[in-house]
Amino acid sequence: MKIISINKRQNLPKYKQIILSIEISIAEKRLKRGDKLPSVNKVSLEFGISRDTVLLAYDELKKRGIIYAILGKGYYVKSEDFSFEQRIFLLFDELNAFKEDLYNSFMETINRNAQIDIFFHYFNPEVFKKLIHDNNGNYSKYIIMPTNLVNAASIIKTLPEEDVFILDQTNAELKNYPSVHQNHTKDTFNALESGKSKIEKYKKLILIFSSYKQPIGMREGFIIFCKKHQLHYDIISNFENNEIQTGDLYIIPDDRHLVNVIEQSKKQKLIIGQDLGIISYNDTPLKKVVTDGITTISTDFKEMGRILAELILNQRKEQIENKSSLIVRSSL
């Protein structure tokens, strides 16, 4: 197994990368007491660095009582009992009620077994790139929400591959990374399929979809469902004072548009669940009570946070789909 990894594009000095690699290998039980480390010459040749750099790292580990040397034989692990705290870089797209549920569940399951630093890219490619570049090498694990950002995969690939976990959305370019994610195409289609008997009473289905923030799979799953059942549909990018027609069913991933639709229905004196229908995304406590209940397509974000934490704590490298479902309330 790979014991030492060095990324020359990281800001962290190479000798510190060697130290961190060995600490992580011991903490994850890939190295045990009495195991021999790669020789100074081998590390030097493999990574194209000076022997002095490797010796500096090994000497530091010796001073801390983690390894010891046998003259003429090499370096060995002396102790597995040392204070190593995982430092986790957590990059979210934005903070909202359901992401907060995910974060709190993740923290509860980690249970103080790691230091967590959370950052937000707010769907800005430059912010995404800068945050990853500036923190490359400073953490033992990197949890990334790549969303739909262009070139996200190439930026993520600058991080140590074995330390990266993908959260919420993944794609073919990120297939080698462990993840806890939603399959938005399948989830949207299956959710609409499960509510087909209620959906069919509407004349037209309207998806309010902005590709800037929303997963492309939502749009794909919606189109597949409508075409399969030969339903009239439309896709619009925005809703501000649009006139609502009786018999319209709005499918709304963004809560800002949800508010706009509700306000417009009140202006037109239309009854939600009778004159028009609404399906929102991502369930929150508020949606249980607004206008007697908003129907949602939602994954379990608390479960997503729990599973992610367990992957990290147990050093599991899996790709797990976190299922979604249709939660039917009076708005449908």
Side-chain angles (χ1 to χ4, degrees):
M1 282 183 281
K2 193 80 169 176
I3 300 302
I4 294 172
S5 61
I6 294 177
N7 187 335
K8 293 182 179 180
R9 286 179 285 187
Q10 287 186 10
N11 295 327
L12 195 67
K14 294 179 182 64
Y15 86 94
K16 287 190 175 180
Q17 292 188 48
I18 295 171
I19 292 171
L20 182 61
S21 294
I22 292 171
E23 287 179 334
I24 291 172
S25 294
I26 295 172
E28 293 183 348
K29 307 299 183 186
R30 290 184 281 122
L31 274 178
K32 298 181 180 179
R33 184 176 178 180
D35 285 351
K36 187 177 182 179
L37 298 180
S39 71
V40 172
N41 286 336
K42 182 177 180 180
V43 177
S44 174
L45 288 170
E46 182 175 348
F47 295 105
I49 58 178
S50 71
R51 293 181 79 258
D52 288 344
T53 298
V54 185
L55 284 168
L56 183 60
Y58 282 10
D59 285 345
E60 176 66 28
L61 290 165
K62 277 174 61 181
K63 288 175 187 175
R64 291 172 51 194
I66 296 173
I67 68 173
Y68 67 98
I70 298 178
L71 188 63
K73 290 190 175 182
Y75 293 85
Y76 297 82
V77 177
K78 182 178 182 180
S79 174
E80 298 176 54
D81 184 20
F82 64 96
S83 107
F84 171 76
E85 182 183 58
Q86 285 211 70
R87 296 186 67 223
I88 296 178
F89 173 85
L90 181 56
L91 181 55
F92 272 26
D93 46 21
E94 63 182 354
L95 185 62
N96 47 41
F98 39 92
K99 299 288 173 59
E100 188 175 354
D101 284 345
L102 191 164
Y103 175 76
N104 289 336
S105 175
F106 175 75
M107 292 296 290
E108 183 180 339
T109 308
I110 284 287
N111 191 27
R112 300 182 182 177
N113 287 315
Q115 175 190 325
I116 315 294
D117 292 335
I118 186 168
F119 302 85
F120 301 92
H121 60 72
Y122 296 107
F123 305 94
N124 185 315
E126 292 305 314
V127 172
F128 181 85
K129 182 178 180 179
K130 179 172 173 50
L131 285 171
I132 288 179
H133 177 268
D134 290 351
N135 290 284
N136 195 342
N138 297 333
Y139 292 86
S140 53
K141 293 286 181 286
Y142 298 85
I143 301 168
I144 312 290
M145 277 188 182
T147 62
N148 294 333
L149 292 177
V150 177
N151 297 325
S154 62
I155 296 167
I156 290 169
K157 287 174 183 177
T158 64
L159 296 168
E161 182 175 342
E162 66 277 10
D163 297 332
V164 174
F165 292 78
I166 303 300
L167 183 59
D168 195 35
Q169 294 185 54
T170 191
N171 56 55
E173 290 184 280
L174 299 170
K175 64 182 180 181
N176 293 330
Y177 295 101
S179 61
V180 185
H181 61 275
Q182 301 180 68
N183 185 329
H184 289 283
T185 301
K186 183 169 72 175
D187 289 343
T188 296
F189 174 81
N190 288 342
L192 295 175
E193 194 76 10
S194 71
K196 176 174 168 287
S197 61
K198 293 182 179 294
I199 290 171
E200 284 181 328
K201 72 181 183 182
Y202 293 95
K203 297 176 183 177
K204 186 178 184 180
L205 279 63
I206 302 171
L207 174 66
I208 308 174
F209 182 83
S210 168
S211 58
Y212 162 63
K213 288 176 63 174
Q214 305 304 332
I216 299 299
M218 290 180 178
R219 185 178 185 274
E220 293 173 348
F222 171 77
I223 292 173
I224 292 169
F225 173 78
C226 292
K227 287 186 174 180
K228 177 184 176 182
H229 299 292
Q230 299 181 330
L231 301 173
H232 294 291
Y233 72 92
D234 194 7
I235 299 173
I236 60 176
S237 61
N238 199 17
F239 186 101
E240 289 184 8
N241 301 317
N242 299 43
E243 184 176 354
I244 299 171
Q245 302 298 321
T246 301
D248 286 347
L249 169 60
Y250 285 90
I251 298 169
I252 314 172
D254 190 303
D255 285 352
R256 176 173 59 87
H257 292 139
L258 172 63
V259 172
N260 292 344
V261 170
I262 293 172
E263 288 182 338
Q264 183 63 25
S265 69
K266 289 181 178 179
K267 286 180 186 177
Q268 294 182 221
K269 295 182 170 53
L270 299 174
I271 299 173
I272 295 172
Q274 294 182 28
D275 301 317
L276 75 148
I278 292 177
I279 299 175
S280 176
Y281 270 83
N282 303 317
D283 205 37
T284 64
L286 194 59
K287 291 176 185 177
K288 297 176 183 178
V289 296
V290 170
T291 64
D292 296 324
I294 298 292
T295 297
T296 60
I297 298 172
S298 185
T299 193
D300 187 334
F301 286 97
K302 291 181 181 179
E303 183 71 359
M304 185 180 283
R306 183 190 65 78
I307 293 171
L308 176 65
E310 289 184 350
L311 286 184
I312 291 171
L313 290 173
N314 297 316
Q315 291 100 49
R316 287 159 48 201
K317 303 290 186 181
E318 301 174 29
Q319 295 175 327
I320 299 174
E321 285 187 10
N322 208 57
K323 304 299 182 185
S324 291
S325 60
L326 182 71
I327 303 170
V328 178
R329 299 192 180 105
S330 64
S331 71
L332 191 57

